[in-house]
Amino acid sequence: MSKNTVLITGGAGYIGSHTAVQLITQGSKVIVLDNLCNSNAEVLNRIHSITGIRPEFVKGDILDRGCLDKMFAKYSIDSVIHFAGLKAVGESTQIPLAYYQNNVTGTLVLCEAMAAAGVKTLVFSSSATVYGEDAPVPYIETMPRGKTSNPYGTSKAMVEQLLTDLCKSDPEWSVALLRYFNPIGAHPSGLIGEDPKGIPNNLMPFISQVAVGKRKELSIFGNDYPTDDGTCERDYLHVMDLADGHLAALGCLSDGGVHIYNLGTGSGTSVLEMVNSFQDVTGVEVPYSFAPRREGDLPAFWADASKAEKELGWKASRTLDEMMADTWNWQSKNPNGYDD
Ligand code: NAD
Ligand code: UDP
C-alpha cells in the first residue's frame, strides 16, 4: 500500500487497534479518533510497542463536528476507516436512542465533515446481523438486507442505506460496507486484544475470562438448536485477518460507489466446539453448564466469503487453533485487560 494517511474512528477499540497496527506496519500514517467510551488510552502505548510508531491520537467524538473539522484541517487525511460506535446488542434494546445517536447520527456528522474536507473514501464496520432473522445460510452479499431484531442491528442497516444513498448522489464517494462475522483472537504479541468492560456479552472473552479465573463458569445458551451438537454455530475469524480485510478493501476503493463484502471464513463452529478447541489448545479447563437460549440468537450462520477473495484478494487464513492460542496469550498476560 502506498504511503497515505488514514483516519481510524474508534481506533482505540478492539478491531480498530489491530487495524491500526497492520496499517502502520504497511507504511500508512494513522490518526486515531476515539472518545474512549469503550476503550483505554493504554492501547496507544501498546501499538507503539508493536510497531515502533505511536499513532496520532485525537480524544474526541464523531458527533462533535467542530472537533472533526479541526482534525481534517490539521491532518491531510486521504481516507477513513469508521469503527466508532456502540455495539452491545442487549444494551441497544435498553437505550435505543443512544445507539441511533452514536451509530447513525455519528456517521452522518462524520460524512458531512468528510464531504466538507473533500475526503470521500470510507470503509464502514457493518455486521452480518444486517442479513436479518430469516436469511438462509451461507449469507451472500447479493441477498437483500433482512429484518433486524434489535436497535444495534437496525442502526447498522440504516447506516448502510445512508452510505448507499450518499454514493448515489455523488460519484466521487467510494465506500466499502464490510459485514463482519465473529471476530476473535488477538495480536500474536499478546500486547493488544479484546478488553470488554464488565461482564462480557460475547462468547470468546467469556471463555477466556473463565479460563483465567475471573468468572466461575460459562453458561452455554441453549443445547436444543437444530445443529449437530445442539449449540449455536457462528463463523469465527481471527481479528488479524479481519484487520487485513480493511487494508485490502482500502486498496481497492478507487472507482466510486458502494462495495459490499462479507468478512468471514466461510464455515461455522458450534459453541461446544469452541470450548473444546480452547481447552485442547491451551490445556486449561473451562467449566460450563447449559442455560436457556438467549433471546434473539439465531441457530447458525456463516459467510459466503468468495466475493472478498475474488475482488479483494482477501481470504481468512489463520486457523481456529491460532485464534484460541492468541486469545489465551493476550488474556493470560493481561488478566485485567489494559487496567493491569
Ligand atoms: P469497540 O467498542 O472495541 O471499539 C469501538 C470504539 O469506538 C471504542 O474504542 C469506543 O470508545 C469508540 N467510540 C464509540 N462511540 C464513539 C463516538 N461517538 N466517538 C468516538 N469514538 C467512539 O468495538 P469493536 O469490537 O472494535 O467494533 C468496532 C466496530 O465494528 C463497531 O462499529 C462494531 O459495531 C462493529 N462490529 C463489531 C463486531 C464484533 O464482534 N466485535 C461485529 C460486527 C461489527
Ligand atoms: N454464547 C454462550 N454463552 C455466552 C456468550 C455467548 O453460549 O456467555 C453463545 C451465543 O448464544 C451464540 C454464540 O455463543 O450462540 C456467539 O455469541 P456472541 O455473542 O459471541 O456472538 P453473536 O451472537 O453476536 O453472533
Side-chain angles (χ1 to χ4, degrees):
M1 180 180 288
S2 61
K3 179 107 184 145
N4 58 8
T5 302
V6 183
L7 168 65
I8 308 186
T9 75
Y14 173 45
I15 307 169
S17 56
H18 290 80
T19 304
V21 164
Q22 295 305 77
L23 277 169
I24 293 170
T25 306
Q26 293 235 349
S28 293
K29 180 174 161 118
V30 165
I31 324 286
V32 167
L33 170 76
D34 203 300
N35 66 4
L36 302 179
C37 71
N38 196 37
S39 50
N40 190 313
E42 168 62 15
V43 76
L44 300 159
N45 297 329
R46 307 290 182 94
I47 294 172
H48 188 195
S49 298
I50 295 169
T51 63
I53 292 174
R54 173 179 294 273
E56 296 282 340
F57 176 56
V58 179
K59 183 166 187 274
D61 200 296
I62 51 168
L63 286 156
D64 181 349
R65 178 66 194 272
C67 166
L68 296 177
D69 286 345
K70 264 193 233 146
M71 199 179 46
F72 281 109
K74 180 168 177 192
Y75 303 103
S76 178
I77 291 164
D78 297 297
S79 52
V80 178
I81 306 184
H82 176 33
F83 294 103
L86 302 178
K87 66 163 183 176
V89 171
E91 185 186 60
S92 79
T93 63
Q94 313 289 318
I95 47 168
L97 298 185
Y99 274 70
Y100 291 118
Q101 172 82 341
N102 250 277
N103 297 1
V104 183
T105 311
T107 304
L108 197 145
V109 174
L110 174 69
C111 288
E112 285 174 344
M114 287 176 67
V119 180
K120 296 186 176 178
T121 303
L122 177 74
V123 175
F124 173 63
S125 299
S126 190
S127 165
T129 192
V130 301
Y131 287 104
E133 297 166 305
D134 304 315
V137 289
Y139 294 168
I140 185 161
E141 295 89 341
T142 46
M143 290 174 178
R145 283 192 296 271
K147 185 177 164 295
T148 46
S149 54
N150 55 74
Y152 168 73
T154 307
S155 76
K156 291 292 177 192
M158 288 169 79
V159 171
E160 285 202 353
Q161 189 61 51
L162 181 163
L163 294 171
T164 304
D165 292 341
L166 180 60
C167 286
K168 268 192 210 147
S169 75
D170 178 354
E172 286 181 4
W173 278 89
S174 285
V175 172
L177 308 177
L178 302 184
R179 294 177 175 167
Y180 310 159
F181 282 68
N182 291 58
I184 60 168
H187 190 272
S189 64
L191 284 167
I192 58 172
E194 188 169 12
D195 181 21
K197 291 196 196 300
I199 301 170
N201 297 308
N202 296 111
L203 178 64
M204 196 70 241
F206 207 106
I207 289 177
S208 61
Q209 289 196 6
V210 170
V212 86
K214 281 185 79 172
R215 319 231 162 249
K216 208 165 125 270
E217 69 167 17
L218 170 74
S219 296
I220 295 184
F221 300 139
N223 62 344
D224 57 353
Y225 283 100
T227 57
D228 284 349
D229 64 22
T231 65
C232 290
E233 293 173 8
R234 296 286 182 272
D235 184 341
Y236 298 93
L237 80 159
H238 199 298
V239 68
M240 295 297 290
D241 278 327
L242 181 57
D244 289 340
H246 291 74
L247 274 64
L250 212 49
C252 293
L253 270 187
S254 53
D255 52 350
V258 167
H259 304 271
I260 303 177
Y261 297 104
N262 287 340
L263 296 183
T265 64
S267 62
T269 305
S270 76
V271 178
L272 270 176
E273 286 170 332
M274 292 292 283
V275 174
N276 291 333
S277 168
F278 183 88
Q279 294 183 142
D280 290 348
V281 169
T282 64
V284 183
E285 198 199 339
V286 178
Y288 66 81
S289 62
F290 292 112
R293 291 180 177 197
R294 183 172 68 178
E295 203 188 324
D297 273 344
L298 298 176
F301 62 85
W302 55 89
D304 179 321
S306 55
K307 186 179 176 200
E309 183 174 5
K310 195 160 150 252
E311 295 188 10
L312 303 178
W314 175 89
K315 191 176 190 308
S317 63
R318 289 147 177 104
T319 62
L320 194 60
D321 282 5
E322 285 173 274
M323 299 182 215
M324 297 301 167
D326 289 336
T327 299
W328 185 232
N329 187 35
W330 153 254
Q331 184 73 72
S332 54
K333 284 180 177 162
N334 307 271
N336 297 311
Y338 293 110
D339 287 332
D340 278 337

